Amino acid sequence: MQRIMLRGKLHQARVTHAELNYEGSCAIDQDLLDAVNIREYEQIDIYNIENGERFHTYAISGERGSKMISLNGAAARKAAVGDRIIICAYAPMSEQQIASYDPNLVYLDAENNIVRTSKNIPLQLA
């Protein structure tokens, strides 16, 4: 059996561009893609913290060092510049792979600078 597991996450990224008349996708600063280990053309899920929108698209490389998070094409209708979003990538894994696997979690500030990285999400308390 395989389970679909979180592989990487950019947490609280800020949308810097929304380009309706651009070929669809999400352009992400190549430094951020490297930090979270998302490859160009890989499927990603985007969760808009501001309005609850959740959708699939794919990542493309944005200018290295630009801090760019650009929603393009139809995705540009799902968020406004300045919105906080979560960008996730998932992968199928066997129970054996899961036993020794931790996701790449990258936390960003309001300017899309990396403030910390982690391999686990803190336990949520009641």
Side-chain angles (χ1 to χ4, degrees):
M1 177 174 74
Q2 299 242 312
R3 296 178 189 264
I4 305 299
M5 302 297 292
L6 177 66
R7 199 178 54 65
K9 172 173 85 163
L10 288 170
H11 191 73
Q12 295 213 17
R14 292 274 179 173
V15 175
T16 61
H17 299 77
E19 303 290 342
L20 184 61
N21 295 313
Y22 188 85
E23 187 171 341
S25 59
C26 180
I28 302 171
D29 177 330
Q30 185 61 53
D31 288 337
L32 297 176
L33 289 175
D34 292 346
V36 77
N37 193 25
I38 292 175
R39 304 286 291 272
E40 189 165 36
Y41 307 116
E42 183 173 354
Q43 179 178 314
I44 55 175
D45 286 354
I46 297 180
Y47 312 122
N48 188 327
I49 296 167
E50 311 301 336
N51 65 20
E53 288 280 357
R54 300 168 71 92
F55 57 96
H56 305 293
T57 188
Y58 60 94
I60 61 172
S61 181
E63 181 182 0
R64 192 176 287 283
S66 67
K67 311 300 182 199
M68 169 187 285
I69 304 288
S70 181
L71 297 178
N72 302 321
R77 298 248 190 234
K78 302 288 189 178
V81 171
D83 282 1
R84 294 173 301 146
I85 61 174
I86 299 168
I87 301 170
C88 294
Y90 298 89
M93 296 183 189
S94 68
E95 294 294 330
Q96 186 176 13
Q97 290 171 307
I98 291 168
S100 63
Y101 183 79
D102 293 308
N104 293 313
L105 308 174
V106 177
Y107 298 84
L108 305 176
D109 67 12
E111 285 79 43
N112 291 334
N113 296 301
I114 297 172
V115 293
R116 71 182 176 96
T117 62
S118 182
K119 292 290 188 180
N120 57 54
I121 296 172
L123 177 68
Q124 182 174 344
L125 302 175

